[in-house]
Amino acid sequence: MAGQKTQLDRLLEEIDRTPWGPQEQALVAEAVALAQEIGDEQLEYQARMRQTASANMGGLTDLMLSSFAWCLAHHDADPARFPADIDNGAADLMWQFKWMASSLRSSPAFSPEQITAVLDDMEAHYRTAGLGMSGVLMARFEDAHAAGRMEDAERLRVQLEATPRDSHSHCDACGRSQVAGFFADTDRDEDAIRLVEEMLEGGFSCGEEPEHALSVSLLPYLRLGRGEQARAAHLRSYRLAKDNPDLLTAIANSIRFCALSGNEARALTLIERHLPWLAHDALNAQGHFRMLTAIGTALDAVTAAGHGDTPVRGAGSPDLERFFGAHDGAEGAWSAVELAAAAWAAAERIGVRFDERDGTDNHARRLQFARRTAGDRYDVPIRSDVFAAPAVDATPTDDEGWYRRGLDLAGYGAAADTLGALAHVIDRVDPERRAVLTGQRLAALVNLERVDEATALLPDRIRSLRTAGLDAQAGLEERFGLALFGTATEADTAALAELFAASADPSGPAALPPAARGDIALTLAFELGDGDPATALELSEQAAALFAEAGDARLGHGAEIAAAMALLRAERVDEALARIDALLADTAITRGVRARMLEMRARVHGGRGAFAMGAADADEAGRILAELGSMSPLAGAQMLAGALWEDAEEPEQALARYRVGARLLEQHGGDVAGAKYRVARSMLNSGAVEEAAELFGEVLQREEADEVPAGSRAMTAIMLARALRAAGEGGQAYGAFGYAAELFGEAENPADQALALMNRAQILAQYDEREQAVETLEEAAAIVRTAEDAPAAVVEVLHNLGQSYGAQQDPRAFALFDEVEAVARANDADWVVADVTDSRARALLSAERVDEGVAAALTASDAFAAAGDAQSAGGSALLAARALTGGGRSADAVAAYRAVLDQASDIPPLLQIAALELGDVLQGLGRDAEAAEVRRLAED
């Protein structure tokens, strides 16, 4: 028993240290179960008080209500044994009372009488405990607002303002958030925004704030024409709320904002991501109403944008059938236009239940308002998501069309799409064409590793060949089977090579017609391609000649592709490129072959540094694949084009392709995390830092769920940290850099681990946590010294630590500067030598060693100039000049200022500063004419 109590004590301590979320919820459940097993109600009370708070933060209303009721009953029975405040730094029982009425209000399953009883009970308990009435008035205000009794709510709001705050008043964040929502609902947008901005400026926050308040501000910002503030508020709100199912209403507000601000694709993405949250808390009908209204609004906007037939992923889940019903179509695939209607209908059903309970038309009015304003549009672009529904050819309407479509897709190598097209036509064509299509079918099945299916269909293929009069090919395939379609073993390859040689004599016993011999040659070329490109090239050329003799241009194109691939493997790039160009110039090739060769040429151009040319080829390949309706290959073409545009230093062009590629991969399968990583990186490079942070966070979550190795997750975490820092989210960036450092440590990568810690230290310094910053840098320095072959990391970390020591006049700075300079000189890093010399100068001047500091600054200036960095050279010379002036040596400073002017001729800001300061120095020396002449430089 004693051991169990000790275990429970440890559990409770761990709960109090663990952030809200699934891990904390599991610990709480374990603590409650253990307390029940022990049979100690006081310990169970300790655990259940935590459970009430945990369930509230996790959106587990049913659990919260039952846990609170148990605790309240025990407190009322014996307040001494079960005190209202268990002194764990979290909410006490009286504070938890606030959550109860709100939770009952959120479900029409509870009557007005039950809600009133809870509010009255809350007031009675507060009075008994000697607490003020501020918390009670806020709870009554929230109830009136939620029920649509706006006059009562306004009266209570005014009364609340006049009531002194106390220990159980809503916190500064929550109080402002609730009243801001009321103002937004009563056409007082400026007042709503004022409260939210007061919260932000004051740094007020709590468990679900400021994310909820930010979401409340979105429509007021839009209606007041403050689109940029709305955009920033949305991105921050969503980034903070996206992992907490209890914030369903905040997510709904963000979805509605996206719909009204012209970001329909983003709205669809958010809907797909958060649809499961509808089933998270069965008692949160108020949240369901808001979310369903937002879904209806957003999907109507998607439809109006021309994408109503887009499938909404996840909408067919059985968990959602109580909202939408069962879908009649194939595989439960709700389209946007269908789900919009179902969402509006579900919202209306819920609203009717609320209004019947409350005796008002509050929800009916809210729904009417949402429908009336659903078509409003405000132009606030966010570039995180796009639709991926490019225009495609009309679905073939006859056998000829399907036959051509099958050949096009086979020519590219889109195996799955090829099989889909062949199913429409393979049994409806003449024997000659059926022979072609059965071959394409086997090749596609083997490509997809569906060898058993291919084996079962091989007899049909052979019958088709004989029916078409191709007996020699039928005999060949009877003998070698699927070896001719990509499954050849070493024995098969040897036997095919022997037959190819023997069949060369047209009068010999092994003679074969040209087409059959070409097939053998092409099979051998592909089998030998990786290990013996020269032989593969020779066989490909023989195959091309044989197919030309047989009059089969289609297979001849396959031989040309094999030849180009063999040349590339042999690193004969110019010849390969000429071959690709020649094939692309052939107007007889299928669209699929054209797309395939364009992609091949794109990669060749990319390998040679002609990135823009390669990107243009990849774009054209993508256009063809879009026409063919081949979505998975199109995703690959988009990602290839994005990579090439990124290498061409065109981040906007890259971003456009990556976004389409990522959406296609989400819809049709593939490496979504990798694609979104590239989207995020392009956003970061193009300055869209908030969107980049959101996407890097999503990628990191995917990687954690997939248990990606620590090193890869660390790289994503470091990119997330950089994006957060660029977005001004220093606190979150600090945490992300710390997490990256942990992961780099786990991956045994000390160089990057140290750099992550260095960035963490810089954030600490930014917030004036100097002592902790230096300690973090010292930890980083100890780690980076263990890194082998990472001089750049060693230099950067030690240099940063030296600069920190120098700023504190710590003499250890100079040994570090010596160490950094030695590493830099050993690696011929002249600019780094100049930079560390500048840092040495600043440390010397900080220590009032003026002569040494000035000498070092001028040395740094000369070194920067020699390295071609005029800006830094001028800065170092300016440092020396100011030090001399400040030390009363104005005459000596003149030469240093002249050195600045020499470096600053093409740097107007530096020129102006130096000219004005030198003018003052010269005037102080009585050299007025020179001073006037120098000052004129600042005016030019």
Side-chain angles (χ1 to χ4, degrees):
M1 182 71 73
Q4 287 180 312
K5 288 186 176 181
T6 301
Q7 180 185 354
L8 182 56
D9 287 340
R10 284 199 298 266
L11 261 178
L12 296 178
E13 290 175 5
E14 186 176 359
I15 289 165
D16 295 341
R17 293 193 306 268
T18 304
W20 308 115
Q23 180 184 357
E24 175 265 347
Q25 291 165 11
L27 291 171
V28 170
E30 184 181 349
V32 171
L34 183 57
Q36 289 173 330
E37 182 181 336
I38 294 170
D40 188 323
E41 286 194 330
Q42 284 182 285
L43 290 175
E44 185 176 352
Y45 185 82
Q46 292 281 328
R48 282 189 178 273
M49 283 286 287
R50 290 167 169 85
Q51 186 175 61
T52 304
S54 172
N56 175 64
M57 295 304 297
L60 302 171
T61 302
D62 201 5
L63 178 61
M64 180 187 69
L65 292 172
S66 62
S67 181
F68 175 80
W70 189 96
C71 291
L72 183 64
H74 282 70
H75 168 75
D76 287 347
D78 191 344
R81 291 185 67 213
F82 305 102
D85 190 350
I86 62 172
D87 196 27
N88 72 325
D92 64 31
L93 192 64
M94 295 301 106
W95 189 282
Q96 291 176 357
F97 241 123
K98 299 179 181 185
W99 306 334
M100 300 307 119
S102 174
S103 297
L104 267 59
R105 161 61 53 199
S106 294
S107 172
F110 300 103
S111 69
E113 292 76 18
Q114 289 174 299
I115 298 167
T116 299
V118 168
L119 289 168
D120 290 345
D121 194 25
M122 176 182 179
E123 182 171 343
H125 276 84
Y126 270 49
R127 291 190 184 281
T128 300
L131 301 174
M133 288 295 104
S134 174
V136 176
L137 284 171
M138 177 59 83
R140 293 191 184 278
F141 162 75
E142 291 176 3
D143 177 62
H145 177 203
R149 304 192 310 271
M150 296 306 191
E151 291 182 3
D152 288 347
E154 177 63 14
R155 175 181 54 77
L156 287 162
R157 185 192 68 79
V158 172
Q159 186 179 352
L160 186 61
E161 283 187 351
T163 301
R165 291 177 56 78
D166 58 72
S167 61
H168 282 63
S169 297
H170 268 39
C171 72
D172 288 314
C174 290
R176 282 177 170 80
S177 181
Q178 293 298 330
V179 177
F182 176 65
F183 283 153
D185 284 345
T186 52
D187 299 323
R188 287 178 277 184
D189 289 343
E190 291 184 356
D191 289 332
I193 288 173
R194 172 180 55 79
L195 288 176
V196 175
E197 291 182 346
E198 282 179 5
M199 179 198 305
L200 298 175
E201 290 165 6
F204 304 133
S205 64
C206 93
E208 295 180 349
E209 300 295 351
E211 47 265 48
H212 177 265
L214 285 165
S215 79
V216 165
S217 74
L218 298 178
L219 288 186
Y221 272 132
L222 287 181
R223 290 191 292 247
L224 292 174
R226 297 170 63 179
E228 278 306 304
Q229 290 96 327
R231 175 183 175 278
H234 159 67
L235 290 170
R236 186 178 182 193
S237 172
Y238 182 71
R239 188 166 63 248
L240 294 172
K242 64 183 177 65
D243 298 319
N244 184 358
D246 193 42
L247 283 165
L248 184 63
T249 297
I251 297 299
N253 291 341
S254 275
I255 289 171
R256 188 152 186 255
F257 162 80
C258 290
L260 300 182
S261 60
N263 296 288
E264 299 89 355
R266 179 173 173 82
L268 177 59
T269 295
L270 266 56
I271 288 170
E272 292 178 333
R273 192 175 295 159
H274 296 288
L275 267 175
W277 286 14
L278 280 170
H280 175 74
D281 184 353
L283 291 179
N284 186 16
Q286 187 71 270
H288 301 156
F289 176 82
R290 296 287 183 88
M291 183 66 164
L292 291 164
T293 301
I295 290 171
T297 300
L299 295 183
D300 277 351
V302 168
T303 301
H307 300 277
D309 59 349
T310 301
V312 182
R313 292 174 301 130
S317 167
D319 291 340
L320 301 179
E321 286 186 5
R322 67 188 183 95
F323 298 103
F324 307 130
H327 189 264
D328 295 333
E331 300 180 3
W334 288 89
S335 69
V337 67
E338 291 170 332
L339 194 63
W344 284 119
E348 185 173 2
R349 289 194 302 272
I350 294 172
V352 166
R353 293 181 60 206
F354 272 114
D355 288 348
E356 287 176 349
R357 179 193 72 178
D358 297 331
T360 69
D361 64 349
N362 176 47
H363 286 76
R365 285 187 287 105
R366 287 182 177 275
L367 204 58
Q368 184 181 36
F369 175 78
R371 284 187 177 276
R372 187 174 68 249
T373 59
D376 293 352
R377 287 294 175 271
Y378 307 85
D379 186 21
V380 185
I382 298 173
R383 299 180 299 165
S384 58
D385 298 271
V386 292
F387 291 110
V392 299
D393 277 356
T395 301
T397 58
D398 57 20
D399 293 346
E400 180 67 22
W402 280 114
Y403 177 73
R404 294 297 171 192
R405 176 65 60 89
L407 293 185
D408 281 332
L409 293 166
Y412 177 80
D417 292 330
T418 299
L419 292 175
L422 295 185
H424 289 275
V425 72
I426 196 166
D427 293 322
R428 298 168 56 87
V429 291
D430 61 47
E432 184 176 344
R433 286 188 167 187
R434 194 174 194 284
V436 172
L437 296 185
T438 53
Q440 301 291 8
R441 181 169 63 184
L442 292 186
L445 288 168
V446 170
N447 182 273
L448 294 170
E449 298 182 356
R450 293 160 59 178
V451 177
D452 289 345
E453 292 177 64
T455 301
L457 288 169
L458 185 59
D460 178 65
R461 158 72 173 169
I462 293 168
R463 283 194 300 272
S464 296
L465 289 170
R466 295 200 185 281
T467 302
L470 301 172
D471 292 322
Q473 185 70 28
L476 182 65
E477 293 186 19
E478 278 183 320
R479 178 178 173 185
F480 289 98
L482 296 182
L484 293 164
F485 295 90
T487 68
T489 62
E490 287 187 15
D492 291 327
T493 301
L496 284 166
E498 183 180 347
L499 177 58
F500 183 68
S503 64
D505 181 359
S507 60
L512 290 170
R517 295 195 70 236
D519 192 14
I520 296 172
L522 191 54
T523 299
L524 291 170
F526 279 117
E527 290 298 328
L528 299 174
D530 289 333
D532 188 354
T535 302
L537 175 61
E538 181 182 348
L539 286 163
S540 298
E541 290 176 334
Q542 291 182 60
L546 288 164
F547 289 134
E549 183 181 348
D552 193 331
R554 181 181 61 84
L555 290 175
H557 295 150
E560 291 294 332
I561 293 171
M565 292 170 64
L567 287 166
L568 288 174
R569 290 190 181 100
E571 298 183 2
R572 295 161 60 179
V573 180
D574 287 336
E575 295 172 73
L577 194 56
R579 204 119 192 179
I580 294 168
D581 289 343
L583 190 53
L584 286 169
D586 186 345
T587 58
I589 61 174
T590 65
R591 288 183 294 174
V593 169
R594 183 170 298 281
R596 184 174 180 181
M597 300 316 293
L598 284 165
E599 281 193 8
M600 190 181 293
R601 190 169 70 179
R603 296 180 190 280
V604 173
H605 284 321
R608 307 182 96 187
F611 302 120
M613 292 175 66
D617 277 346
D619 280 341
E620 177 61 12
R623 184 192 66 77
I624 294 170
L625 291 167
E627 287 180 350
L628 296 175
S630 187
M631 296 294 105
S632 292
L634 173 58
Q638 292 290 317
M639 299 308 295
L640 173 61
L644 290 164
W645 281 119
E646 189 174 12
D647 288 339
E649 298 183 357
E650 294 281 356
E652 291 291 345
Q653 297 280 9
L655 177 57
R657 276 69 174 180
Y658 282 152
R659 288 188 304 177
V660 173
R663 181 65 183 173
L664 286 166
L665 288 168
E666 279 188 317
Q667 292 176 333
H668 301 282
D671 182 11
V672 177
K676 292 210 166 188
Y677 181 93
R678 292 189 176 194
V679 174
R681 187 177 63 197
S682 293
M683 284 185 163
L684 186 59
N685 291 340
S686 62
V689 293
E690 294 92 348
E691 294 99 316
E694 178 186 314
L695 280 172
F696 278 128
E698 181 188 342
V699 171
L700 186 58
Q701 285 182 326
R702 287 176 179 270
E703 291 179 340
E704 288 169 342
D706 293 341
E707 298 182 349
V708 169
S712 296
R713 282 183 286 139
M715 293 305 300
T716 304
I718 207 78
M719 295 299 285
L720 169 62
R722 290 171 183 167
L724 287 167
R725 191 174 184 182
E729 297 285 356
Q732 292 185 65
Y734 175 82
F737 277 123
Y739 183 48
E742 291 177 15
L743 291 171
F744 280 129
E746 185 180 337
E748 299 182 353
N749 181 345
D752 285 325
Q753 182 184 12
L755 290 172
L757 289 170
M758 182 194 75
N759 278 280
R760 208 174 199 217
Q762 290 171 345
I763 293 173
L764 287 167
Q766 180 183 341
Y767 287 94
D768 293 324
E769 299 287 346
R770 304 288 177 181
E771 184 176 343
Q772 192 177 351
V774 169
E775 290 175 359
T776 304
L777 278 172
E778 288 172 340
E779 180 185 357
I783 291 170
V784 83
R785 284 192 171 102
T786 69
E788 299 178 3
D789 300 323
V794 171
V795 162
E796 193 168 359
V797 173
L798 298 186
H799 193 179
N800 268 265
L801 179 57
Q803 289 172 324
S804 294
Y805 282 157
Q808 297 179 348
Q809 299 183 19
D810 186 327
R812 289 180 292 176
F814 301 107
L816 283 169
F817 293 147
D818 290 342
E819 188 176 351
V820 170
E821 183 175 346
V823 174
R825 290 189 184 281
N827 288 274
D828 297 322
D830 295 337
W831 187 92
V832 175
V833 171
D835 193 33
V836 74
T837 305
D838 179 89
S839 296
R840 187 191 304 277
R842 294 175 191 276
L844 289 164
L845 292 172
S846 177
E848 299 184 359
R849 294 162 61 179
V850 177
D851 289 342
E852 295 171 87
V854 168
L858 293 173
T859 300
S861 179
D862 291 341
F864 277 129
D869 186 349
Q871 176 87 40
S872 297
S876 295
L878 184 62
L879 175 67
R882 286 173 170 172
L884 290 166
T885 302
R889 296 162 58 182
S890 298
D892 294 336
V894 172
Y897 274 117
R898 296 285 185 191
V900 179
L901 295 178
D902 289 342
Q903 297 295 337
S905 57
D906 295 324
I907 310 170
L910 181 60
L911 179 65
Q912 186 178 45
I913 291 169
L916 291 173
E917 291 185 14
L918 177 55
D920 291 342
V921 169
L922 290 169
Q923 187 171 9
L925 292 170
R927 295 156 64 176
D928 293 349
E930 290 179 72
E933 181 181 354
V934 167
R935 284 173 176 151
R936 278 195 291 273
L937 292 174
E939 299 170 0
D940 293 342

